[in-house]
Amino acid sequence: LDEKKNPYPIASHVRNTRNQEDARFSRTLVRKCLERGEAMLLKSVKDDLGADAGASIAELKIWSAMCAPLLTQKQEPIGVIQLDTTDP
């Protein structure tokens, strides 16, 4: 997270491509994960989040996802780990 608590990628990996710059993430999932302060496992993102799914999820065509916060010992967020798939 930057100074304004906005997420930005530090490391990423996209399978089946050589261009790792294709890596993108859902700010909606990251925000919800940080707000809850706990890991989220979404078998069907659209069904699990409903109207709160957000434009980035639709744009990225995310089907399932896992997002887990990285917290300091004082429970302050410093980042997240997000894994997702576009495969149904």
Side-chain angles (χ1 to χ4, degrees), residues 36-64:
R36 294 178 183 186
E38 60 185 22
M40 298 169 51
L41 177 61
L42 306 166
K43 292 181 182 179
S44 171
V45 174
K46 282 184 174 179
D47 291 342
D48 293 343
L49 294 181
D52 292 335
S56 65
I57 291 170
E59 180 184 326
L60 297 171
K61 299 178 181 159
I62 296 173
W63 183 267
S64 300

Side-chain angles (χ1 to χ4, degrees), residues 19-52:
N19 185 3
Q20 292 302 309
E21 292 181 17
D22 289 343
R24 299 184 341 176
F25 64 95
S26 167
R27 294 182 189 280
T28 303
L29 283 178
V30 169
R31 188 184 76 251
K32 289 189 175 299
C33 181
L34 291 173
E35 286 172 358
R36 294 178 183 186
E38 60 185 22
M40 298 169 51
L41 177 61
L42 306 166
K43 292 181 182 179
S44 171
V45 174
K46 282 184 174 179
D47 291 342
D48 293 343
L49 294 181
D52 292 335

